[in-house]
Amino acid sequence: MTILVLGGTGKTGRRIADRLTARGLPVRIGSRSGVPAFDWQDRTTWGPALDGVSAVYLSYYPDLAFPGAYDDVKAFTEVAVSTGVRRLVLLSGRGEPEAQASERTVQGSGAEWTVLRCSWFMQNFSEDFLLGAVLDGVIALPAADVPEPFVDVDDIADAAVAALTEDGHAGRLYELTGPRLLTFAEVADELSKATGRQISFVRLTPEEYLAAAMAHGVPEEAAHGLAHLFTEILDGRNASVADGVRQALGRPARDFTAFAAAAAQAWVLPS
Ligand SMILES: NC(=O)c1ccc[n+]([C@@H]2O[C@H](COP(=O)([O-])OP(=O)(O)OC[C@H]3O[C@@H](n4cnc5c(N)ncnc54)[C@H](OP(=O)(O)O)[C@@H]3O)[C@@H](O)[C@H]2O)c1
């Protein structure tokens, strides 16, 4: 039986698909570029993507906290269970009421479930929307001086693979964080050390951030969603470390310094 990895070309999904494939397990990439294609915006693609699937890594796009996510996850979960999926592993976000609503849907689905409730990803700085800022040397965000326990996506992938392939993780909610709280200013210091260049953090007002994001081509709705994550979610509610990585994997979570050393190639400037 096949394991469907939604977002299987993204930060978490790509790593999970690689790990499962390396173990010789049958994997299907669930994304618009998968075969068959899977598109959250086109529900007629869901059934073909689920054909013959026994377990799903369920990561939503663009974000589980954005409007519409809950309805999509609820509908997808119902289709998945009705077509024979027996195990669901949900990628969720910490301190996000909208994401927690989707968690409850998966928990009540009748399938074996595992929730990976994650803090902010370290790889946002090396593979995603903050990479450009690091390359520019200025991380400008509407984030207060509130620390966040950034988590390494490789830890999420290891936990997801364990939950998809091993016994003992069904019915578990793992809060996956890194081992250390860091403010964005402290992240900038870490990145300065890793790159050998000065990376600064500049605090913007939400209005300044919205204007800058849209000027850089971020669609208005997505810009508002990001501003929401930086302001309402980063209000201190998540300013604590959790031991989900140790619970799931029996080892400590990877530290930001080790991540930055390993990811340094991403920040090499073009010559
Ligand atoms: N970033 C964080 O700090 C953080 C923290 C906690 C939780 N999360 C959660 O992480 C999730 C995102 O996971 P990720 O960061 O691993 O992914 P990602 O790196 O953002 O990659 C997005 C994936 O989704 C696919 N995709 C894009 N549009 C799609 C569509 N319309 N239908 C189906 N697939 C689509 C992309 O592939 P194609 O282009 O081939 O379609 C790609 O595989 C979000 O739900 C977010 O809430 C993020």
Side-chain angles (χ1 to χ4, degrees):
M1 295 288 277
T2 300
I3 301 174
L4 176 64
V5 179
L6 297 187
T9 57
K11 294 185 295 301
T12 59
R14 173 168 49 81
R15 289 170 166 84
I16 293 163
D18 287 349
R19 284 160 167 75
L20 295 171
T21 302
R23 292 183 184 203
L25 295 167
V27 175
R28 182 175 301 151
I29 301 297
S31 84
R32 296 166 304 172
S33 53
V35 181
F38 173 88
D39 191 339
W40 282 108
Q41 308 303 322
D42 179 0
R43 295 185 181 193
T44 65
T45 64
W46 298 3
L50 283 163
D51 186 36
V53 166
S54 59
V56 178
Y57 172 68
L58 204 176
S59 69
Y60 187 73
Y61 187 85
D63 196 293
L64 213 49
F66 285 9
Y70 169 75
D71 290 339
D72 284 344
V73 169
K74 183 169 186 297
F76 175 82
T77 299
E78 285 167 5
V79 176
V81 172
S82 74
T83 59
V85 169
R86 296 192 300 272
R87 187 171 283 195
L88 293 164
V89 176
L90 176 70
L91 173 65
S92 183
R94 229 174 156 218
E96 300 175 350
E98 305 86 348
Q100 268 79 84
S102 289
E103 291 176 6
R104 288 190 290 276
T105 285
V106 169
Q107 289 165 331
S109 65
E112 292 181 349
W113 60 265
T114 307
V115 172
L116 308 177
R117 190 188 280 172
C118 301
S119 54
W120 279 62
F121 300 167
M122 296 178 186
Q123 279 78 0
N124 291 337
F125 297 98
S126 58
E127 300 176 23
D128 205 345
F129 65 107
L130 296 174
L131 171 59
V134 178
L135 293 174
D136 288 346
V138 183
I139 302 171
L141 295 172
D145 202 21
V146 170
E148 169 73 11
F150 295 90
V151 65
D152 192 316
V153 162
D154 278 309
D155 285 340
I156 302 171
D158 285 344
V161 169
L164 287 164
T165 61
E166 297 171 4
D167 292 333
H169 301 286
R172 301 292 305 269
L173 187 160
Y174 296 121
E175 288 215 38
L176 302 181
T177 78
R180 190 157 57 107
L181 289 162
L182 290 166
T183 63
F184 277 89
E186 288 166 337
V187 165
D189 288 344
E190 289 276 345
L191 295 173
S192 297
K193 286 185 202 131
T195 60
R197 298 192 303 274
Q198 181 61 39
I199 316 283
S200 315
F201 170 67
V202 176
R203 186 175 177 189
L204 300 180
T205 66
E207 294 73 24
E208 287 169 335
Y209 174 74
L210 276 175
M214 288 192 281
H216 280 86
V218 178
E220 185 172 355
E221 194 181 356
H224 279 282
L226 287 169
H228 165 75
L229 292 178
F230 284 117
T231 51
E232 290 180 43
I233 304 298
L234 276 182
D235 63 356
R237 73 184 75 174
N238 292 336
S240 59
V241 296
D243 68 347
V245 173
R246 187 175 286 286
Q247 286 177 27
L249 300 170
R251 63 160 177 79
R254 294 189 181 92
D255 188 71
F256 198 98
T257 306
F259 150 74
Q265 190 62 31
W267 302 309
V268 173
L269 295 175
S271 50

